[in-house]
Amino acid sequence: MTLVHETDYGTPAKDGPATVSLEVDGLKVAVPEGTSVMRAAALAGIDVPKLCATDSLEPFGSCRLCLVEIDGRRGTPASCTTPVADGMVVRTQTPKVAKLRENVMELYISDHPLDCLTCSANGDCELQDMAGAVGLRQVRYGYEGANHLDSVKDQSNPYFDFDPAKCIACSRCVRACDEVQGTFALTIEGRGFDSKVSPGAGESFMDSECVSCGACVQACPTATLQEKSVIQLGMPSRSVVTTCAYCGVGCSFKAELRGDELVRMVPHKDGGANEGHSCVKGRFAFGYATHPDRVLSPMVRDKITDPWREVSWDEAIGTVARRMLEIRAEHGAEAIGAITSSRCTNEEVYVVQKMVRAAFGSNNVDTCARVCHSPTGYGLKQTFGESAGTQDFRSVDKADVIMVIGANPTDGHPVFGSRMKQRLRQGAKLIVVDPRRIDLVRSPRIEAEYHLPLRPGTNVAIVNAMAHVVAAEGLFDADFVAARCEGFEEWVEFISRPENSPEAVEPITGVPAEQVRAAARLYATAGNGAIYYGLGVTEHSQGSTMVMGMANLAMACGNIGRDGVGVNPLRGQNNVQGSCDMGSFPHELPGYRHISDDAVRQVFEKLWGTTLFPDPGLRIPNMFDAAIEGTFRGLFVHGEDIAQSDPNVQHVLAALSSMDLVVVQDLFLNETAQFAHVFLPGASFLEKDGTFTNAERRINRVRAVMKPKSGMDEWDIVCQIATAMGYPMQYDHPSQIMDEIASVTPTFAGVSFERLDQLGSIQWPCDENAPEGTPIMHVEDFTRGKGRFMPTPFVPTDERSTRRFPLILTTGRILSQYNVGAQTRRTANVAWHREDVLEIHPHDAEDRGITDGDEVTLASRVGETRLRAQISDRMPTGVVYTTFHYPGTGANVVTTENSDWATNCPEYKVTAVQVALAHPMALHAESGEANAFASELVD
Ligand code: SF4
Ligand code: SF4
Ligand code: SF4
Ligand code: FES
């Protein structure tokens, strides 16, 4: 595919019908009210020269290149800032405007290095293009006068350079940072000739507030802000549209290549989830895909203490099949199973669960979503009837009040976080429910109306208290409830009990009752109320209860079934939604249909030509327990690092080391691979063809940019293992796997690669009633018919602070790193975050004699680790916080096995701990916990 150049219409689109008709250079065009003359001209196929305008930003009117003449109007107005009017007659090319434009260009060029032939932007420079467009043939002012040509480059950012000598002071970068990203890191300093772009007061980009999202680089019309990769490798010559493999936002990118070398990832304007925006991970952190640490040959060994032996694919696949069959013959099908990965494509996840059910002969398949969003699936299914978020991301543009619970969108879901901030700057109100003062609480031009800094583990008490206020003060939407819901009377009786009042729960949550009352009133009465939540909701012993509590609150206030409302899980990994949709739970077949349902099972039995067991298989924690007991002996781990990501690492390692066969498929020899007998090299997202489904149920295409470096597609490896075990599985292309999924999964009935290529993306359900998908769910009816109110009594977690462990640890993510860090640690993103630190309130630190940067021990009843302290008043007293991106820190060494009552999702967010100054010793042994454990076994 050649390089895709999207049309730039100069100014943003306006909503509404095309009711305004005008004539541009003799061509008739009709556009919505408020559209600029520039955009109308572009829609008529006429490009007006421009430099300061681009359609991702509001018009600014500074460069004066886009002047036009309009019949009946004096002068030469700027087409970017002039709105259309009915009957307008516009002329974009007249001798007068041509002269004016040429003058403007002369001024720009007289203060611009004339090194076009050696410039990194040669061929992709709007200044160069405009010089051609206006027919510039001479520069009368010469180049000897005052200029900026000697300005010093800022090369501090690992991914892009800033060369002020090439800057034309168009402000596009500043406006991109303000309007799109919402970081406000850049300013134009000085006036007139002295105007210059500055990242903070004389700071470098790296020292500024910049979060390296790349929006300014994208917006810059010259080589002033330029990707280092383009400077080094040259301009790309072709592009492939694909999907980011990091978080659940699911941003679309153009992977731009030169030959077969990836030069840069450019956010795709037509991407349904991101609409042209990006974050530092998707935009820049792709270097891990070609990192030398990648293992490209299959390897086997008899014992985990043996050295690895490189083997052919045939031998590796044969070994897996043979040893799985041996275990099955000796211990039964219940003794083998697999864990699927939310990083993999839908097609890969589907074939893994099919392999387990049809070839292994058990239902022992679980997904890493078990440890993050399984309560979402359960809670939303119970109340709404569908295990997925209710809205598309665009919906937030219509929200009047946004409640963010247990999520940190600016770090965890940055592109959606920026969109949310745009809406907040437009005036939507914000409620944040989180122990920690996340960035959203107060950031440039945003201030939360209410921040409820609850004690970890008391979410349900807070949501019940808010609902209590809604019920007691009659703030509920009686019409909505009467028409659309069931169980309301019983729920009101429950929620109105005195123990659910804000005053009663204040001693439990630590949040003043008045604040809870005020927040509840705001959510219930401000118009469209939207709830967004993350793992701070689900990773609790009452995760599922909390999801139902939020659903109750939304239904009571009528905040379901239209734009601007809803209950929206912000999914962690790129394909958490998809891995759940694909039936990789031990109790559910694709489409969330219970394995015990005879009719459903028969559909799959007929298609797969096999008999399926009606009883659910083992969940991940049950697999570990059974492994230690000796009844579960063979595990296929597809693209997950369970030795690092699952709670109570010691227990996980004990389980892994008890098994006869551990097969790991991954890009790198991760911590889990220390315990593997067979290692199967995986493919990076750049090498895959398939689909990911993001947090808004949007199925996006993933397209291979290059061939698998290991020589094998992951879906094909799985099929070959199944075949070698005696169950033939064969597809020619992942599109055939999607066709099979669509044939047996009603919510995917209308999905195919062909349809995805036509529409760009599809939000399921997609069937004959919704052939283009469903952006907003439960519009007329809930999926289950009536929305169901569920009782949600608050039950305190067993994990309490004690004299021995007086603090509560909670965990989260940081923007630059991702999950267990296997990818981002192998990129220049380490420049922002080299280690996990423990955030601790100044008082708690002082009590322990800890100062900023000290090495501390973090101990819980299950384990102990060491890391550096960061004194932070973002934390309330009594609560400490860390991330889990580095194996050396091993945050999960201390997390316990407490879990959600309904789904076993671990209670990562509440661990009673003690923190103390560490005795001096090397911080972060070179290898992680698994390494240490493995060497113990060797010793
Ligand atoms: S990279 Fe993003 S955050 Fe940094 S200055 Fe540019 S727009 Fe702002
Ligand atoms: S850096 Fe680029 S976008 Fe920013 S003012 Fe200069 S030319 Fe314009
Ligand atoms: S927001 Fe998420 S999906 Fe988008 S670029 Fe960043 S990591 Fe990738
Ligand atoms: S593009 Fe209109 S003034 Fe610059």
Side-chain angles (χ1 to χ4, degrees), residues 160 173 176-177 181 183 185-186 205 210-216:
F160 60 85
C173 53
C177 193
Q181 167 57 23
T183 294
L186 302 177
F205 268 82
C210 168
V211 293
S212 206
C213 71
C216 57

Side-chain angles (χ1 to χ4, degrees), residues 420-731:
M420 186 185 273
K421 289 207 288 190
Q422 285 170 17
R423 181 62 193 153
L424 292 168
R425 289 198 301 276
Q426 287 166 0
K429 305 278 189 254
L430 173 66
I431 301 166
V432 174
V433 183
D434 201 295
R436 194 162 163 261
R437 202 184 66 236
I438 58 171
D439 278 348
L440 264 187
V441 172
R442 188 174 299 130
S443 59
R445 302 189 201 178
I446 289 170
E447 173 109 35
E449 216 73 18
Y450 300 102
H451 173 212
L452 311 182
L454 77 177
R455 291 198 182 104
T458 63
N459 284 336
V460 172
I462 282 277
V463 83
N464 281 351
M466 291 182 77
H468 178 95
V469 175
V470 168
E473 299 186 9
L475 304 177
F476 53 85
D477 184 336
D479 292 343
F480 181 91
V481 166
R484 308 263 327 252
C485 305
E486 63 188 26
F488 183 66
E489 305 302 326
E490 298 84 340
W491 177 76
V492 167
E493 186 280 315
F494 155 75
I495 208 73
S496 303
R497 291 177 197 161
E499 70 260 29
N500 289 322
S501 73
E503 290 69 21
V505 302
E506 181 175 327
I508 299 166
T509 64
V511 181
E514 241 349 277
Q515 291 275 304
V516 177
R517 284 191 177 276
R521 288 173 192 141
L522 177 63
Y523 172 76
T525 62
N528 288 339
I531 296 174
Y532 293 89
Y533 70 94
L535 303 182
V537 158
T538 54
E539 291 178 342
H540 286 272
S541 61
Q542 279 201 291
S544 293
T545 316
M546 179 60 183
V547 173
M548 294 189 288
M550 294 183 304
N552 289 340
L553 182 63
M555 286 190 291
C557 298
N559 277 330
I560 290 291
R562 62 180 187 279
D563 257 333
V565 298
V567 179
N568 305 284
L570 295 175
R571 304 284 186 156
Q573 304 211 60
N574 51 323
N575 199 29
V576 177
Q577 182 69 57
S579 73
C580 298
D581 300 343
M582 290 300 105
S584 54
F585 283 126
H587 65 297
E588 280 173 343
L589 286 157
Y592 303 99
R593 285 160 304 159
H594 206 279
I595 190 78
S596 63
D597 184 324
D598 293 343
V600 171
R601 232 176 31 259
Q602 276 164 20
V603 171
F604 286 87
E605 286 176 338
K606 189 164 166 226
L607 179 74
W608 293 349
T610 188
T611 305
L612 299 175
F613 290 101
D615 299 331
L618 297 173
R619 296 173 174 184
I620 292 172
N622 307 129
M623 291 181 192
F624 296 153
D625 292 342
I628 290 169
E629 284 163 14
T631 54
F632 186 75
R633 308 182 78 97
L635 177 65
F636 180 90
V637 189
H638 191 212
E640 273 303 299
D641 193 2
I642 50 176
Q644 203 189 158
S645 62
D646 281 45
N648 193 353
V649 169
Q650 290 293 336
H651 185 70
V652 178
L653 304 190
L656 284 170
S657 54
S658 305
M659 282 187 251
D660 300 333
L661 175 63
V662 175
V663 182
V664 167
Q665 179 152 26
D666 211 299
L667 298 181
F668 305 105
L669 269 179
N670 59 19
E671 301 292 305
T672 309
Q674 311 280 342
F675 300 86
H677 305 86
V678 181
F679 183 85
L680 305 174
S684 80
F685 79 110
L686 295 170
E687 298 152 38
K688 288 185 178 187
D689 225 324
T691 55
F692 294 150
T693 307
N694 77 352
E696 36 163 18
R697 296 169 276 103
R698 185 184 300 280
I699 307 162
N700 277 313
R701 278 283 274 119
V702 184
R703 294 185 181 86
V705 169
M706 53 189 76
K707 289 194 168 133
K709 288 185 176 299
S710 69
M712 286 279 286
D713 290 307
E714 290 191 21
W715 58 267
D716 197 19
I717 296 164
V718 173
C719 290
Q720 291 198 27
I721 293 171
T723 305
M725 287 182 73
Y727 178 79
M729 256 166 79
Q730 206 266 326
Y731 305 91

Side-chain angles (χ1 to χ4, degrees), residues 647-861:
N648 193 353
V649 169
Q650 290 293 336
H651 185 70
V652 178
L653 304 190
L656 284 170
S657 54
S658 305
M659 282 187 251
D660 300 333
L661 175 63
V662 175
V663 182
V664 167
Q665 179 152 26
D666 211 299
L667 298 181
F668 305 105
L669 269 179
N670 59 19
E671 301 292 305
T672 309
Q674 311 280 342
F675 300 86
H677 305 86
V678 181
F679 183 85
L680 305 174
S684 80
F685 79 110
L686 295 170
E687 298 152 38
K688 288 185 178 187
D689 225 324
T691 55
F692 294 150
T693 307
N694 77 352
E696 36 163 18
R697 296 169 276 103
R698 185 184 300 280
I699 307 162
N700 277 313
R701 278 283 274 119
V702 184
R703 294 185 181 86
V705 169
M706 53 189 76
K707 289 194 168 133
K709 288 185 176 299
S710 69
M712 286 279 286
D713 290 307
E714 290 191 21
W715 58 267
D716 197 19
I717 296 164
V718 173
C719 290
Q720 291 198 27
I721 293 171
T723 305
M725 287 182 73
Y727 178 79
M729 256 166 79
Q730 206 266 326
Y731 305 91
D732 296 329
H733 190 265
S735 61
Q736 294 175 346
I737 304 174
M738 179 53 85
D739 291 344
E740 181 172 319
I741 295 165
S743 74
V744 282
T745 313
T747 44
F748 277 64
V751 180
S752 66
F753 277 29
E754 195 185 356
R755 197 89 181 106
L756 285 164
D757 291 343
Q758 280 165 4
L759 296 174
S761 60
I762 297 173
Q763 288 175 267
W764 67 258
C766 173
D767 51 26
E768 57 186 24
N769 297 323
E772 301 205 347
T774 310
I776 296 182
M777 295 195 73
H778 317 302
V779 174
E780 302 290 337
D781 295 302
F782 285 90
T783 304
R784 66 179 301 283
K786 298 267 186 194
R788 175 163 59 167
F789 282 90
M790 297 290 290
T792 54
F794 171 63
V795 179
T797 167
D798 290 341
E799 187 72 5
R800 313 270 167 90
S801 50
T802 60
R803 227 152 50 103
R804 200 162 150 228
F805 300 111
L807 303 172
I808 295 292
L809 170 74
T810 189
T811 58
R813 271 188 197 177
I814 197 157
L815 170 68
S816 59
Q817 294 291 330
Y818 177 70
N819 206 274
V820 296
Q823 295 141 290
T824 43
R825 278 187 283 111
R826 291 182 171 93
T827 70
N829 276 25
V830 291
W832 286 278
H833 187 78
R834 288 188 183 282
E835 59 183 332
D836 295 319
V837 296
L838 186 78
E839 289 187 29
I840 182 168
H841 188 275
H843 292 167
D844 291 327
E846 193 181 348
D847 288 349
R848 291 163 176 78
I850 294 168
T851 56
D852 202 53
D854 280 344
E855 294 168 15
V856 296
T857 55
L858 174 70
S860 74
R861 65 184 162 81

Side-chain angles (χ1 to χ4, degrees), residues 372-383:
C372 69
H373 264 290
S374 48
T376 290
Y378 180 87
L380 295 184
K381 180 111 184 172
Q382 292 297 314
T383 46

